[in-house]
């Protein structure tokens, strides 16, 4: 039956010679179709360091063949080893790996002379590149069963009530019918949906060459699926679905895994598609040096190597510099660096203080600087009627552009849109910022819903209310909120919210806000009288939450003829009228421009007299 398939070729690293192989119809001990490496094929003289750990059975086979002299040095291939007789391997991947000395997806690496991969000649119904899967012991028995998977080279999905004779590549509609009929009222409708997804993925979407993961003793093990699914009867009499797997010998500690992978692993389904983090899984146990060497051997970056390199790109914040400090009129560069570090560590930060202290402006400018541009910053403003459906996702009426009919459709809100943008593979190393203006004016528990949990546990995922999808906040998504302390609503922020955010005060009584107006006026070449007046004003306001911020006096209209008096009368005094409402305070007399100018003049005169007295003292 060897004639059923054409001859396949495998190019060795560094533009080396080409090996020849033949796919067999019979299956090996692990359930995969066997492949024969033909005599005369070249083999690499060394292996990469991770090869014994990632592909232990292929490594053992290669070592045995070298010991037996089947793979040896010859005069016909200087610098390479040579296969001296036909070698039968359990799978196309094993046949490729004994030649190249590292893990290899044989279903894609072996190709015909016309360039068609071996996978095209197998009976598969799910096209496209290889995928990555997580499979748990859905029977909930014990860790011992999963350890048996590793020892015996298999993965099993419990299917207690599923009838015998289910076709190995059944359609989802077929699987849905089987589950409805076989499980009946024994499970809930949501459990049925999960069973359908899991069974269909295991039977029809998985294919040889895909990677599969499982968790044992809080360690992640990774292997390669080497054959088709088959239905079996377990030792306890239950039905099950089984696939052969070549497992790596090294497990990776869960707590040391990258955050994006932990998020996916926290999904509680029995079968989880991990393809979104394939680059991370492919890179486990592979050093940067090995990756660079693989790229060099291939005389270019392959798809797998490019995916791993993309996944390893570090998320970074630029360092605040003097140019930024000058533009923001901040007194100390160290203050900006501290805010940057707080954002990096906590990922959620709130600027709070009285009105006019530049909270929103600072949040926007800082986010655009750290994110590299305004396209990575989204601003929303909370208000009392703001809800989860506005913020994250919900059903909203939308008109069909063709039928003109209005129907309720699931629509993404600003957080969902930004999270989807930040989680794209090409964006994962770039910071993205959500700015929530007046964050304390909404009912936060109502707006955030189940997302409240994710603000603190960034390495977890939750099942969403409307779309029923699993969602996690990307590690490169940062949140900056602003709070106005003048309306006292900050006192209503509960301990849970305070625990999830770092709080940074912006107040006229402390830097960088206290001297901001004077620095800005000096930089603009203007008279510093407005700064003197603002300081005199705030000195008369006992409640620090009602002191006036400098931004009211940092607008062009203030410095046109009559602008200062107009701004004082229409912007500043009304705030103080509200503050003293019902107290019988004459606001104009206490805080008016004439009163403050007299106070400033008296203070300067007192200061001048005191200075002259010190000069005259012998």
């Amino acid at each position: 039956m060897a004639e059923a398939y054409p001859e396949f070729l495998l190019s060795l690293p560094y533009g080396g010679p080409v090996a020849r192989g033949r796919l067999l119809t019979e299956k090996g001990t692990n359930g995969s179709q066997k492949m024969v490496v033909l005599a005369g094929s070249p083999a690499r003289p060394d292996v990469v360091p991770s090869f014994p750990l990632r592909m232990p059975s292929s490594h053992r086979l290669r070592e045995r063949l070298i010991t037996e002299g089947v793979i040896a040095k010859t005069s016909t291939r200087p610098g390479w080893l040579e296969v001296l007789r036909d070698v039968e391997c359990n799978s196309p991947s094993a046949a490729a790996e004994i030649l190249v000395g590292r893990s290899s997806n044989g279903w894609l690496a072996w190709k015909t002379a016309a360039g068609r991969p071996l996978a095209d000649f197998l009976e598969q119904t799910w096209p496209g590149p290889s995928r990555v899967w997580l499979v748990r012991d859905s029977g909930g028995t014990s860790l011992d069963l999963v350890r048996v998977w590793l020892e015996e080279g298999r993965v099993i999905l419990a299917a207690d009530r599923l009838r015998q004779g289910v076709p190995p590549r059944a359609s989802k509609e077929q699987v849905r019918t089987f589950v409805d009929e076989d499980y009946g009222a024994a499970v809930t409708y949501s459990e049925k949906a999960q069973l359908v997804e899991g069974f269909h993925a295991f039977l029809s979407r998985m294919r040889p060459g895909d990677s599969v993961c499982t968790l044992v003793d809080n360690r992640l093990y990774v292997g390669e699926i080497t054959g088709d699914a088959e239905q079996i009867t377990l030792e306890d009499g239950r039905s099950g679905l089984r696939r052969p797997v070549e497992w790596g010998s090294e497990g990776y500690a869960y707590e040391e895994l990258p955050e994006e992978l932990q998020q996916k692993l926290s999904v509680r389904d029995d079968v989880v598609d991990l393809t979104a983090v394939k680059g991370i899984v492919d890179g486990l146990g592979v050093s940067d040096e090995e990756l660079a060497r693989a790229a060099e051997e291939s005389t270019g970056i392959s798809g797998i190597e490019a995916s791993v390199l993309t996944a390893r790109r570090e998320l970074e914040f630029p360092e605040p510099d003097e140019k930024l400090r000058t533009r923001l009129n901040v007194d100390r560069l160290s203050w900006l660096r501290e805010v940057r570090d707080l954002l990096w560590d906590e990922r959620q930060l709130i600027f709070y203080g009285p009105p006019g202290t530049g909270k929103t402006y600072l949040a926007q400018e800082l986010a655009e600087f750290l994110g590299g541009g305004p396209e990575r910053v989204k601003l929303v403003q909370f208000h009392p009627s703001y809800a989860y459906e506005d913020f994250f996702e919900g059903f909203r009426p939308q008109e069909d552009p063709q039928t003109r009919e209005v129907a309720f459709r699931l629509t993404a809100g600003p957080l969902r849109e930004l999270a989807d943008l930040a989680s794209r593979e090409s964006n994962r190393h770039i910071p993205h910022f959500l700015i929530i203006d007046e964050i304390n004016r909404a009912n936060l528990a109502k707006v955030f819903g189940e997302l409240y949990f994710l603000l603190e546990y960034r390495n977890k995922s939750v099942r969403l209310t409307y779309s029923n999808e699993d969602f996690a906040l990307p590690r490169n998504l940062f949140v900056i909120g602003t709070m106005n302390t003048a309306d006292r609503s900050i006192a209503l922020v509960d301990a849970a919210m305070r625990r999830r955010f770092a709080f940074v005060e912006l107040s006229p009584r402390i830097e960088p806000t206290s001297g901001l107006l004077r620095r800005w006026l000096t930089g603009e070449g203007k008279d510093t009288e407005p700064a003197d007046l603002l300081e005199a004003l705030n000195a008369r306001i006992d409640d620090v939450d009602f002191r006036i911020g400098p931004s009211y006096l940092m607008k062009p209209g203030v410095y046109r003829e009559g602008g200062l008096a107009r701004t004082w009368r229409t912007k500043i005094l009304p705030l103080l009228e509200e503050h003293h409402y019902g107290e019988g305070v004459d606001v104009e007399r206490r805080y008016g421009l004439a009163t403050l100018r007299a106070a400033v003049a008296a203070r300067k005169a007192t200061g001048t007299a005191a200075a002259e007295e010190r000069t005259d003292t012998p």
Side-chain angles (χ1 to χ4, degrees):
M1 296 294 295
E3 295 76 15
Y5 300 104
E7 183 176 88
F8 293 98
L9 307 176
L10 176 73
S11 298
L12 265 66
Y14 297 112
V18 176
R20 298 164 48 244
R22 187 175 68 247
L23 184 65
L24 304 180
T25 54
E26 58 262 37
K27 294 184 177 181
T29 57
N30 60 2
S32 172
Q33 281 183 248
K34 290 182 177 181
M35 187 157 192
V36 174
V37 177
L38 299 179
S41 292
R44 175 178 170 167
D46 58 348
V47 301
V48 300
S50 63
F51 185 47
L53 300 175
R54 291 174 65 86
M55 293 295 152
S57 61
S58 295
H59 178 259
R60 288 194 298 269
L61 174 59
R62 175 185 163 95
E63 291 298 299
R64 178 170 63 80
L65 293 172
I66 291 175
T67 301
E68 294 174 356
V70 178
I71 297 179
K73 291 181 178 180
T74 66
S75 58
T76 58
R77 294 192 183 277
W80 299 91
L81 302 180
E82 186 173 342
V83 180
L84 301 183
R85 63 172 172 80
D86 290 357
V87 175
E88 191 175 275
C89 301
N90 270 335
S91 70
S93 289
E97 287 162 356
I98 64 171
L99 301 179
V100 299
R102 59 182 172 90
S103 61
S104 176
N105 186 336
W107 283 265
L108 300 179
W110 290 101
K111 298 178 181 179
T112 64
R116 291 181 60 193
L118 182 150
D120 286 357
F121 296 84
L122 301 178
E123 294 181 3
Q124 293 297 327
T125 60
W126 197 264
S130 60
R131 306 180 75 85
V132 183
W133 305 91
L134 169 70
V135 180
R136 290 190 172 90
D137 170 24
S138 55
T141 50
S142 69
L143 290 176
D144 291 336
L145 179 59
V146 183
R147 293 191 185 99
V148 170
W149 296 359
L150 304 180
E151 294 169 1
E152 298 185 357
R154 62 189 185 187
V155 63
I156 296 175
L157 185 66
D160 301 358
R161 297 172 178 268
L162 193 63
R163 69 188 67 184
Q164 292 295 320
V166 175
R169 281 177 285 278
S171 69
K172 183 178 284 190
E173 193 56 38
Q174 286 178 302
V175 174
R176 183 175 289 110
T177 300
F178 297 150
V179 170
D180 285 339
E181 295 177 357
D182 298 347
Y183 284 80
V187 295
T188 65
Y189 76 93
S190 62
E191 289 175 317
K192 283 183 182 178
Q194 291 177 11
L195 288 171
V196 170
E197 292 294 334
F199 290 160
H200 180 250
F202 200 92
L203 287 165
S204 305
R205 295 186 63 189
M206 291 183 187
R207 65 180 185 179
D210 283 359
S211 297
V212 63
C213 306
T214 195
L215 288 161
V216 184
D217 293 334
N218 217 32
R219 297 182 72 83
L220 182 73
Y221 287 82
V222 182
E224 181 186 283
I225 297 173
T226 57
D228 291 332
E230 60 179 337
Q231 198 167 7
I232 60 170
T233 300
L234 301 175
E235 294 178 357
D236 57 6
R238 295 179 300 139
S239 176
L241 304 174
R242 181 174 67 188
R243 276 186 180 270
V245 175
E246 182 176 342
W247 291 103
S249 62
E250 181 180 4
Y252 307 97
Y254 182 89
E255 61 273 10
E256 296 176 6
L257 297 174
E259 186 176 276
E260 296 96 326
L261 181 52
Q262 289 187 21
Q263 290 173 343
K264 294 292 184 181
L265 295 176
S266 69
V267 177
R268 298 311 305 169
D269 294 340
D270 296 331
V271 180
V272 182
D273 189 344
L274 300 180
T275 307
V277 289
K278 186 177 185 298
I280 295 175
V281 175
D282 287 340
L284 292 175
V286 179
S287 66
D288 292 339
E289 292 74 16
E290 282 186 57
L291 197 60
R293 183 177 178 183
E296 182 184 349
E297 290 173 353
S298 305
T299 63
I301 300 295
S302 71
I304 292 177
E305 291 151 5
S307 176
V308 175
L309 285 170
T310 300
R312 288 191 178 180
R313 295 179 70 176
E314 291 292 331
L315 175 66
E316 293 182 352
F317 275 175
E319 188 74 18
D321 53 19
E322 278 295 326
K323 185 178 179 180
L324 178 67
R325 186 196 69 79
T326 302
R327 189 170 82 246
L328 298 180
N329 282 295
V330 173
D331 63 320
R332 292 176 292 111
L333 188 59
S334 59
W335 186 87
L336 284 174
R337 288 172 175 163
E338 181 181 1
V339 172
R340 170 193 179 275
D341 292 344
L342 274 174
L343 262 175
W344 181 263
D345 293 337
E346 304 296 331
R347 287 191 262 198
Q348 289 107 221
L349 179 147
I350 286 178
F351 291 124
Y352 71 98
T357 49
K359 301 179 291 296
T360 305
Y361 172 78
L362 180 61
Q364 288 180 296
E365 290 293 320
L366 194 60
E368 290 183 12
F369 173 79
L370 296 176
E375 66 277 6
R376 301 184 184 106
V377 180
K378 186 178 287 289
L379 186 144
V380 297
Q381 188 166 53
F382 279 8
H383 49 78
S385 62
Y386 208 72
Y388 175 91
E389 291 78 8
D390 304 306
F391 184 52
F392 190 72
E393 68 177 14
F395 287 96
R396 301 177 192 168
Q398 290 187 357
E399 183 182 66
D400 188 299
Q402 295 183 352
T403 66
R404 314 299 292 179
E405 294 181 352
V406 176
F408 282 88
R409 294 180 175 86
L410 187 62
T411 307
L415 176 57
R416 183 67 193 262
E417 290 177 343
L418 188 63
D420 290 346
L421 177 65
S423 60
R424 292 178 186 172
E425 190 173 44
S426 58
N427 285 342
R428 289 176 184 166
H429 66 290
I430 301 172
H432 289 68
F433 291 85
L434 178 68
I435 298 174
I436 306 175
D437 201 26
E438 306 285 0
I439 190 173
N440 52 323
R441 294 189 65 224
N443 183 332
L444 297 179
K446 177 182 177 183
V447 172
F448 279 96
E450 68 271 14
L451 305 177
Y452 222 45
F453 172 81
L454 298 181
L455 291 175
E456 184 169 9
Y457 299 98
R458 284 293 194 104
N459 64 336
K460 303 292 185 182
S461 63
V462 296
R463 186 64 55 89
L464 296 174
T465 302
Y466 287 98
S467 61
N468 202 36
E469 297 175 354
D470 294 289
F471 175 80
L473 286 174
R475 70 186 180 105
N476 59 329
L477 177 58
F478 299 84
V479 181
I480 303 178
T482 69
M483 281 187 177
N484 186 352
T485 57
D487 59 9
R488 305 297 190 190
S489 58
I490 190 172
L492 303 178
V493 178
D494 61 21
M497 188 69 174
R498 293 181 184 276
R499 189 173 69 248
R500 286 163 169 78
F501 284 82
F503 284 73
V504 176
E505 183 179 10
L506 293 178
S507 170
R509 65 190 177 92
I510 59 172
E511 288 287 6
T513 309
S514 62
L516 176 59
L517 180 58
R518 190 174 299 278
R519 289 191 294 271
W520 181 80
L521 289 169
T522 302
E524 294 290 316
K526 300 181 185 298
D527 189 348
T528 58
E529 184 201 23
D532 297 331
L533 294 172
L534 185 63
E535 290 173 2
L537 171 68
N538 283 327
R540 295 179 174 226
I541 302 174
D542 296 329
D543 191 332
V544 296
D545 289 331
F546 278 86
R547 290 180 178 175
I548 305 301
S551 66
Y552 291 102
L553 303 176
M554 297 174 66
K555 299 176 181 178
V558 176
Y559 300 95
R560 291 198 294 267
E561 184 176 354
L564 178 60
R566 184 167 53 250
T567 300
W568 212 270
R569 185 178 68 253
T570 62
K571 295 286 188 180
I572 295 176
L573 292 184
L575 290 174
L576 298 170
E577 288 276 7
E578 181 182 356
H579 175 47
H580 290 292
Y581 182 77
E583 297 179 4
V585 175
D586 187 337
V587 171
E588 176 65 37
R589 184 175 181 181
R590 183 170 180 176
Y591 302 114
L593 274 181
T595 302
L596 295 175
R597 278 178 170 142
V600 169
R603 187 178 63 192
K604 287 184 176 180
T606 302
T608 302
E612 291 175 351
E613 183 178 346
R614 287 194 298 272
T615 303
D616 294 340
T617 301

